[in-house]
Amino acid sequence: MIDVLVVDDSLVMRKLIISTLEAHASIRVVGTAEDGHQALQALDRCKPDLVILDVEMPVMDGLTALDEIRRRDRRLPVLMFSSLTQRGAQTTIEALTRGASDYVGKPTQMNDLNQALQVLQQELIPKVLALGECAQAAKVKALPSTPTLRGVRPGSQATHTTRLAGSASLEAVCIGVSTGGPVALVSLIEAWTTPLSIPVFVVQHMPPRFTQLLADRLSGLGCMPVHEPYDDQLVQPGHIYLAPGGWHMTLERKTHGVHVRVVDLPPQSSCKPSVDLLFNSAAKVYGQQLLGVVMTGMGHDGLQGSQSIVDAGGEVWVQDQYTSVVWGMPGAVAQAGLAHAVLPLQDIASSIVRRVQV
């Protein structure tokens, strides 16, 4: 049973969320709060596996409450509940980069409660189940004394400081990430103190508008500019290209260099943008000089693309289970035997720098 604390200043919205959650046999609402201050008081009393946290509330807003929750517990899943307006999107990006696990947009048609319930059932339940199950697993799992690194492909001898035998110098890094991704990307970008000598391409599962806001936020945190690219943009070293929400990002080599293609194709594995499509195209462009990194996220997007990178002679790394919010995407790659290395989040940025310098 996944125990949930619901925090929202609207009585109607709290009842709607509770009705949605308690209709599922594996979810139990153990407490409610009307503002961030009440939520903090309820944490010790209710001991939830997950918190659903509204953004705009009186007394103490969601961002302030989130910061305090993170000071108390770095791993408790916090699912932000916010409007999808421009203002709501900006606040959501702020929350995600400050440690929120994921978000759910509030139903826009509150005059139709049946439709609002349907939206919540489709959007809220899968995320609560995934985050809650991961939180419960983390509670019972014995924590490692030190982060571990392991090669899971037969014969691979990946380490923090040496490349795999026979591997080529890198020309590009491609990163795929979803649930928990914004804070993971913040960790990477803040750790890079000098620009990389190669380009970085990122697919973060996120809707339109949100990706541009995320790119702007990330650009202000590190030493490399982060772009939401336009179609046929020429790739430059030392730049990060974040796939626009609602579109796919692929790569194409032309006479004067590699170009980003922003294409409107059907979703792949229910994802748009798709990690698989980026990895597939990058493997064709860069071959053995490509590093693919699959980080925290639900589902298995990136699995097929990782196979393409390995088939082309490139390398694939994944984030480890302990530091992932959800070990779906990286776990699928590791369990398929495609990962050359499994790394904790705090080691990925420095390992990329060392790998680029080889």
Side-chain angles (χ1 to χ4, degrees):
M1 188 71 70
I2 299 169
D3 292 338
V4 179
L5 172 64
V6 177
V7 186
D8 198 298
D9 64 320
S10 167
L11 177 61
V12 173
M13 191 60 72
R14 287 200 306 275
K15 288 183 175 180
L16 195 62
I17 296 171
I18 292 169
S19 296
T20 303
L21 296 177
E22 293 194 332
H24 198 284
S26 300
I27 301 172
R28 176 174 57 196
V29 176
V30 293
T32 62
E34 298 178 17
D35 57 60
H37 181 68
Q38 290 185 9
L40 297 176
Q41 293 178 323
L43 284 179
D44 292 335
R45 183 177 70 253
C46 298
K47 301 188 184 306
D49 298 310
L50 179 144
V51 177
I52 296 175
L53 185 61
D54 189 20
V55 171
E56 296 183 6
M57 297 179 293
V59 184
M60 181 185 289
D61 63 34
L63 287 178
T64 305
L66 173 66
D67 289 341
E68 181 58 34
I69 291 171
R70 282 292 168 254
R71 277 191 286 269
R72 298 182 183 190
D73 189 336
R74 301 297 302 175
R75 296 187 61 81
L76 177 65
V78 178
L79 193 57
M80 304 305 293
F81 197 57
S82 64
S83 68
L84 298 182
T85 62
Q86 180 71 16
R87 178 182 174 185
Q90 289 174 331
T91 306
T92 301
I93 292 298
E94 180 72 16
L96 291 171
T97 56
R98 283 161 66 167
S101 307
D102 206 342
Y103 74 96
V104 171
K106 289 186 176 181
T108 56
Q109 301 296 328
M110 287 301 297
N111 57 329
D112 186 340
L113 291 182
N114 287 331
Q115 183 178 353
L117 276 170
Q118 185 176 7
V119 169
L120 287 180
Q121 289 167 355
Q122 294 172 349
E123 299 292 330
L124 184 61
I125 295 298
K127 293 184 178 184
V128 168
L129 290 174
L131 291 170
E133 288 167 2
C134 288
Q136 290 179 332
K139 288 181 180 179
V140 300
K141 181 181 177 182
L143 303 182
S145 57
T146 57
T148 58
L149 171 69
R150 63 183 178 90
V152 294
R153 293 184 65 236
S156 68
Q157 299 295 325
T159 73
H160 286 261
T161 57
T162 61
R163 59 176 174 166
L164 297 174
S167 60
S169 59
L170 289 187
E171 285 193 357
V173 175
C174 287
I175 297 171
V177 65
S178 186
T179 309
V183 73
L185 293 173
V186 168
S187 174
L188 289 185
I189 289 171
E190 287 187 329
W192 288 328
T193 56
T194 57
L196 299 179
S197 59
I198 61 174
V200 178
F201 306 95
V202 180
V203 166
Q204 160 72 60
H205 294 156
M206 196 167 273
R209 184 191 307 118
F210 282 63
T211 45
Q212 182 61 64
L213 293 170
L214 179 61
D216 293 342
R217 169 76 169 153
L218 295 175
S219 284
L221 297 177
C223 62
M224 291 189 289
V226 182
H227 311 275
E228 186 184 73
Y230 56 84
D231 187 42
D232 209 28
Q233 183 171 355
L234 179 65
V235 170
Q236 301 289 341
H239 290 243
I240 301 172
Y241 301 90
L242 178 68
W247 297 80
H248 294 299
M249 180 173 70
T250 62
L251 305 176
E252 181 181 357
R253 188 179 293 279
K254 296 186 176 182
T255 304
H256 300 294
V258 176
H259 291 243
V260 174
R261 302 311 309 265
V262 177
V263 295
D264 186 14
L265 296 173
Q268 300 289 312
S269 301
S270 301
C271 298
K272 190 176 182 179
S274 161
V275 179
D276 282 333
L277 286 184
L278 171 63
F279 280 17
N280 289 342
S281 65
K284 293 177 182 177
V285 169
Y286 293 109
Q288 63 179 346
Q289 294 177 299
L290 174 65
L291 170 64
V293 183
V294 182
M295 300 174 67
T296 175
M298 289 191 293
H300 54 80
D301 189 22
L303 174 59
Q304 188 271 325
S306 293
Q307 182 70 66
S308 296
I309 292 175
V310 171
D311 290 345
E315 290 177 45
V316 175
W317 299 351
V318 300
Q319 184 177 349
D320 72 354
Q321 184 171 6
Y322 179 65
T323 63
S324 294
V325 174
V326 178
W327 208 53
M329 288 165 52
V333 175
Q335 290 159 8
L338 296 173
H340 295 78
V342 179
L343 293 161
L345 174 61
Q346 63 269 22
D347 291 347
I348 293 176
S350 59
S351 297
I352 289 175
V353 170
R354 285 191 287 268
R355 182 63 184 84
V356 169
Q357 292 172 345
V358 171

